[in-house]
Amino acid sequence: MNEVLHAIAGRYSCRGFSGQPVSRADLETITRAGTQAPSARGNAPWYLAVVTNRELIGQIRDNAFEVLIRRDKEGHQRIVERGGDLFYNAQALIVVATRPTHDLTPAEFDAGLLTENICLAAHSIGLGTCICGYATNAFHVFRSPDGERFSRRLEFPYGYQMTVGILVGHPALSKEPHPADTSVVRFFE
Ligand SMILES: Cc1cc2nc3c(=O)[nH]c(=O)nc-3n(C[C@H](O)[C@H](O)[C@H](O)COP(=O)(O)O)c2cc1C
């Protein structure tokens, strides 16, 4: 198996990180890989805030968790069952923001490609990642106590919106990658 296929087959959502910090060099490597993703018309409609400040990560996590408690009982229960830490002790949080492109495909589609590039690049250098949709809750202007403040603190350019979070760290827990379900693939020859 070549290296790309090996990374794709081995990636999994890591839900337990050690306390070891992620180096700036590694974060630069994986975010660079992210920005090498394709995007519609080459728009590259993304902005990445790479957060390693413990206090700030904690504030984003706590705001997101508060929204979860109030608005998503099932999601809250799932996180409690996983140990209660929404960010699994991740030492870095990459906040992916996008601007609307008014293209045939939404900017979030492009952000998804960038996100998977980051996850695969991270996996290939021994880091764990977990895409974190719950992190978006923290940035919600009405629901989250500090929603607007985080976008300002992370210096989102005008018109950019929180799209998804990526937790990054050194894995303390691993799991088997989910099995590929190839039954959804049809060939027309
Ligand atoms: C858009 C998106 C949002 C996700 N949000 C979360 C999340 O908030 N918390 C979490 O633990 N996992 C989250 N995941 C991870 C999925 O649960 C996971 O990818 C899926 O169960 C398949 O498992 P695998 O990634 O280990 O193959 C998210 C995945 C995606 C693609």
Side-chain angles (χ1 to χ4, degrees):
M1 206 189 276
N2 72 40
E3 285 177 27
V4 175
L5 294 176
H6 189 69
I8 291 171
R11 184 214 57 84
Y12 62 93
S13 293
C14 179
R15 297 200 174 95
F17 297 95
S18 80
Q20 188 188 341
V22 184
S23 73
R24 170 74 180 248
D26 282 353
L27 290 168
E28 284 175 2
T29 298
I30 65 175
T31 48
R32 182 185 170 84
T35 62
Q36 285 169 324
S39 62
R41 295 193 219 202
N43 269 323
W46 45 58
Y47 170 78
L48 303 180
V50 184
V51 188
T52 51
N53 179 300
R54 297 298 308 150
E55 199 185 335
L56 186 51
I57 290 177
Q59 287 167 0
I60 296 170
R61 181 200 56 216
D62 293 348
N63 271 255
F65 197 58
E66 204 176 309
V67 179
L68 202 66
I69 291 171
R70 275 191 279 115
R71 303 190 64 98
D72 182 355
K73 297 273 172 270
E74 204 180 298
H76 173 240
Q77 189 52 35
R78 193 176 310 134
I79 295 302
V80 168
E81 280 160 17
R82 289 175 182 161
D85 177 355
L86 194 64
F87 287 176
Y88 313 114
N89 196 35
Q91 298 298 303
L93 167 68
I94 301 174
V95 173
V96 180
T98 54
R99 63 177 162 80
T101 53
H102 309 293
D103 216 314
L104 287 173
T105 47
E108 289 82 355
F109 184 92
D110 300 320
L113 302 176
L114 166 135
T115 298
E116 179 67 343
N117 264 20
I118 290 177
C119 293
L120 292 175
H123 180 75
S124 77
I125 59 171
L127 293 171
T129 57
C130 186
I131 301 169
C132 189
Y134 286 143
T136 58
N137 278 338
F139 292 72
H140 199 284
V141 177
F142 303 117
R143 293 178 193 160
S144 163
D146 292 324
E148 222 166 328
R149 188 172 72 81
F150 291 132
S151 317
R152 278 203 302 273
R153 174 84 198 273
L154 298 180
E155 300 176 10
F156 283 15
Y158 179 75
Y160 281 67
Q161 294 252 349
M162 164 51 151
T163 300
V164 78
I166 309 169
L167 306 170
V168 186
H170 294 272
L173 289 177
S174 68
K175 73 175 184 74
E176 285 301 308
H178 72 262
D181 174 12
T182 55
S183 70
V184 296
V185 184
R186 290 280 185 282
F187 292 89
F188 299 88
E189 295 169 331

